[in-house]
Amino acid sequence: PGKKTQTMSYDRAITVFSPDGHLFQVEYALEAVRKGSLAVGVRGSDTVVLGVEKKAVAKLQLSQTVRKIARIDEHICLAFAGLTADARVLINRARTEAQSHRLTLDEPASVEHMTKYIAGVQQKYTQSGGVRPFGISMLIVGFSSEGAPVLYQTDPSGTFSSWKGSAIGRNSKTVREYLEKNYAETSGRETIKLAVKALTEVVEGTSSNIELAVIEAGGKGPRFLSDDEVTDILKEVDEEKGAAPAGGNGGQVA
């Protein structure tokens, strides 16, 4: 009982470390991320893709008002997992920073700059009294100033890192393991198919369950794929799985 009481006293305050060096509220925020809807990001040679699991909405609710992928600027978009209300606040702050950067420097903000800004805001909320951490992780995508596709991930602790392919949210460990085994340098439609294959490891493969956004080299920014386009890609993926040698994964639904 004494040990439990001691642990409880440390997890009530965001600014107090436990004796073994943990900030429990930050760890609880990471747990909120793990319970959020799945989001996947994959970087190719000329394309970067975000895919998310679409939650079922109420019969009379408009699905367009429940979006897990958001545009930050004309050339940057992100997907998140965790608490949607927290994400909305952080997305609005990021959009304001992107426009401020354009007004001040007369050029668009880089993906790295926006990632550092978002991670900086998240970190600030782990170090102040009277606040709580943002219960979200984000996958941020776009193209660098050199014209290369980039994918960054941020966490509630305020850390950020660059990835070739990553997943956040529910069942993200399974999807990340799939990407680690199957990732290859792809381009164009093959990159989109890799993201869909990763998603369908744990999500039912229908257009009503999957939302995709793509940024392509020379494109005009993020492009959201229609239900028909998603259905066509899912058909191609199913055909490829059907043509694969027996004994493969088979794309089971978890």
Side-chain angles (χ1 to χ4, degrees), residues 40-45 47-51 139 141 149-151 163-167 175 179 183-184 186 190-196 198-199 213 215:
V40 175
V42 177
R43 190 185 84 190
S45 59
T47 309
V48 61
V49 184
L50 287 175
L139 296 173
V141 299
V150 288
L151 164 66
W163 294 74
K164 292 179 180 177
S166 187
V175 176
L179 287 171
Y183 181 85
T186 53
E190 292 303 312
T191 307
I192 301 173
K193 285 200 281 189
L194 178 58
V196 169
L199 264 175
I215 305 182

Side-chain angles (χ1 to χ4, degrees), residues 204-218:
E204 189 179 347
T206 66
S207 60
S208 60
N209 291 332
I210 292 173
E211 183 179 355
L212 295 170
V214 181
I215 305 182
E216 296 161 311

Side-chain angles (χ1 to χ4, degrees), residues 108-130:
S110 67
V111 184
E112 185 177 8
H113 172 84
M114 291 310 306
T115 302
K116 284 179 177 176
Y117 173 81
I118 289 169
V121 173
Q122 286 182 289
Q123 194 280 332
K124 199 180 292 182
Y125 278 73
T126 69
Q127 214 170 355
S128 309

Side-chain angles (χ1 to χ4, degrees), residues 25-34 39 78-82 86 90 114-126 132-140 152-163 166-169 172 176:
Q25 290 298 316
V26 175
E27 293 182 14
Y28 298 159
L30 282 163
E31 194 58 38
V33 170
R34 291 187 197 106
L78 61 79
F80 65 87
D86 285 18
L90 200 49
M114 291 310 306
T115 302
K116 284 179 177 176
Y117 173 81
I118 289 169
V121 173
Q122 286 182 289
Q123 194 280 332
K124 199 180 292 182
Y125 278 73
T126 69
R132 65 162 175 78
F134 285 93
I136 47 170
S137 285
M138 289 186 163
L139 296 173
I140 306 161
Y152 288 96
Q153 178 179 328
T154 73
D155 291 315
S157 61
T159 58
F160 71 92
S161 48
S162 180
W163 294 74
S166 187
I168 53 176
S172 57
R176 201 176 290 124

Side-chain angles (χ1 to χ4, degrees), residues 1-242:
K3 189 174 182 184
K4 186 177 180 183
T5 305
Q6 187 183 36
T7 303
M8 287 297 291
S9 66
Y10 287 110
D11 75 359
R12 283 195 184 124
I14 180 65
T15 55
V16 179
F17 282 98
S18 69
D20 55 352
H22 289 269
L23 285 171
F24 287 115
Q25 290 298 316
V26 175
E27 293 182 14
Y28 298 159
L30 282 163
E31 194 58 38
V33 170
R34 291 187 197 106
K35 290 181 177 176
S37 298
L38 178 67
V40 175
V42 177
R43 190 185 84 190
S45 59
D46 60 359
T47 309
V48 61
V49 184
L50 287 175
V52 296
E53 173 190 4
K54 277 201 288 191
K55 276 189 174 178
V57 296
K59 191 173 182 181
L60 298 180
Q61 186 179 8
L62 296 176
S63 60
Q64 295 93 325
T65 60
V66 186
R67 304 301 290 266
K68 304 290 288 187
I69 303 177
R71 190 192 298 248
I72 295 299
D73 202 349
E74 292 173 0
H75 62 302
I76 301 172
C77 73
L78 61 79
F80 65 87
L83 305 178
T84 303
D86 285 18
R88 186 181 68 243
V89 171
L90 200 49
I91 287 167
N92 285 339
R93 289 181 70 163
R95 285 171 172 164
T96 302
E97 169 63 20
Q99 295 309 306
S100 175
H101 190 283
R102 278 182 183 270
L103 284 169
T104 307
L105 300 178
D106 199 27
E107 65 179 22
S110 67
V111 184
E112 185 177 8
H113 172 84
M114 291 310 306
T115 302
K116 284 179 177 176
Y117 173 81
I118 289 169
V121 173
Q122 286 182 289
Q123 194 280 332
K124 199 180 292 182
Y125 278 73
T126 69
Q127 214 170 355
S128 309
V131 298
R132 65 162 175 78
F134 285 93
I136 47 170
S137 285
M138 289 186 163
L139 296 173
I140 306 161
V141 299
F143 277 76
S144 67
S145 53
E146 290 81 31
V150 288
L151 164 66
Y152 288 96
Q153 178 179 328
T154 73
D155 291 315
S157 61
T159 58
F160 71 92
S161 48
S162 180
W163 294 74
K164 292 179 180 177
S166 187
I168 53 176
R170 194 184 304 112
N171 296 319
S172 57
K173 188 181 176 193
T174 303
V175 176
R176 201 176 290 124
E177 285 172 357
Y178 175 86
L179 287 171
E180 285 171 1
K181 288 177 187 171
N182 297 281
Y183 181 85
E185 193 72 28
T186 53
S187 62
R189 198 170 181 84
E190 292 303 312
T191 307
I192 301 173
K193 285 200 281 189
L194 178 58
V196 169
K197 285 174 186 174
L199 264 175
T200 52
E201 282 292 293
V202 294
V203 177
E204 189 179 347
T206 66
S207 60
S208 60
N209 291 332
I210 292 173
E211 183 179 355
L212 295 170
V214 181
I215 305 182
E216 296 161 311
K220 295 181 178 178
R223 181 171 66 88
F224 290 83
L225 272 60
S226 67
D227 285 353
D228 289 342
E229 288 177 293
V230 173
T231 300
D232 289 344
I233 291 167
L234 285 166
K235 279 182 185 173
E236 288 181 37
V237 168
D238 285 340
E239 285 168 7
E240 286 180 17
K241 283 182 179 176

